[in-house]
Every structure is written in C-alpha cells, then in structure tokens.
C-alpha cells in the first residue's frame, strides 16, 4: 500500500490555489485598507467568498464549469466598481487587479486542461 497514491492531486490544481490566495488577499484588503464605501465592502466580501468557494471546489473535484465561473467572477470584479458606483477609489484598483488575476488563472487552467502540451509537437 506504500506505492498507492492517497490523494487525487492534479498538477493544474496549483492555479486554483493561486485563485484561493487572491480571494484571501481581497478579503484581507477589507481590513488592511478599511474601504469607506459600503458598496465596495459588500462587493469585495461576497466576491472574495465566491472565488474562494469556487477555487476550493475546483481543487476537490475539477469541472470546466467551475473555471468558467471563476472567469465570470473575475470579469465581475473588473466591472463592479462602475456598476456599483465605487470607481476612482482604492477598492477599485484592488477589484480590477484581483479580477484580472482570477480570470487569467482560470483561463490558463482551462487551456492547460483542454489542450495539454504534447511531447512531440507537430512539425511543419
């Protein structure tokens, strides 16, 4: 039994761990920078929780839709300052930065999973 693998770890799961750390940083930024606007605080709290839950569920059981959900959550973080009315604040910069990072990591994971690198690339 010493030769059996206990966990079902995928090498792509590290990208979900990055998304989980981005969500944690976004959540901690609420207290680090004490945003004044209530809309920003609620959006950051809900969005970071949603990204964290999606990342944890993707680590435990991968599915393409979970990564697409992270892409949508990243897009929401990018546009939410203008939709919710807290543009031109410090919270806007964190939302946009973390949103880009979350969406990027989810897209990279989708590409790596659906188009795995080949050992012998086709020659022209």
């Amino acid at each position: 039994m010493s030769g059996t693998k206990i966990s079902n770890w995928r090498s792509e799961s590290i990208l979900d761990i990055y998304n989980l750390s981005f969500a944690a940083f976004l959540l901690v930024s609420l207290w680090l920078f004490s945003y004044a606007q209530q809309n920003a605080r609620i959006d950051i709290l809900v969005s970071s929780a949603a990204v964290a839950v999606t990342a944890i569920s993707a680590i435990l059981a991968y599915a393409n839709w979970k990564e697409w959900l992270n892409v949508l959550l990243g897009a929401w973080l990018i546009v939410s300052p203008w939709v919710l009315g807290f543009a031109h604040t410090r919270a806007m910069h964190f939302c946009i930065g973390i949103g880009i990072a979350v969406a990027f990591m989810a897209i990279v994971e989708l590409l790596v999973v659906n188009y795995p690198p080949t050992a012998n690339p086709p020659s022209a």
Side-chain angles (χ1 to χ4, degrees):
M1 188 147 189
S2 64
T4 61
K5 195 172 185 181
I6 294 175
S7 70
N8 221 3
W9 178 258
R10 301 174 309 109
S11 60
E12 297 87 8
S13 292
I14 191 68
L15 298 170
D16 291 313
I17 292 175
Y18 288 146
N19 272 346
L20 185 60
S21 65
F22 292 143
F25 178 74
L26 191 61
L27 183 65
V28 169
S29 75
L30 284 173
W31 291 277
L32 285 177
F33 303 106
S34 63
Y35 303 127
Q37 289 198 335
Q38 191 66 19
N39 287 346
R41 295 180 63 80
I42 292 171
D43 177 47
I44 289 174
L45 182 65
V46 171
S47 297
S48 64
V51 170
V53 167
T54 306
I56 290 170
S57 68
I59 291 169
L60 297 176
Y62 177 80
N64 277 344
W65 67 267
K66 294 175 185 175
E67 297 309 318
W68 282 111
L69 182 59
N70 262 343
V71 171
L72 291 175
L73 288 169
W76 167 251
L77 281 168
I78 293 169
V79 300
S80 66
W82 291 277
V83 173
L84 298 177
F86 60 93
H88 308 294
T89 63
R90 280 186 293 176
M92 176 191 78
H93 300 292
F94 283 97
C95 281
I96 292 173
I98 298 295
I100 290 170
V102 166
F104 177 75
M105 289 298 166
I107 290 171
V108 167
E109 186 166 1
L110 281 167
L111 289 174
V112 168
V113 168
N114 292 320
Y115 302 102
T118 58
N120 298 321
S123 60

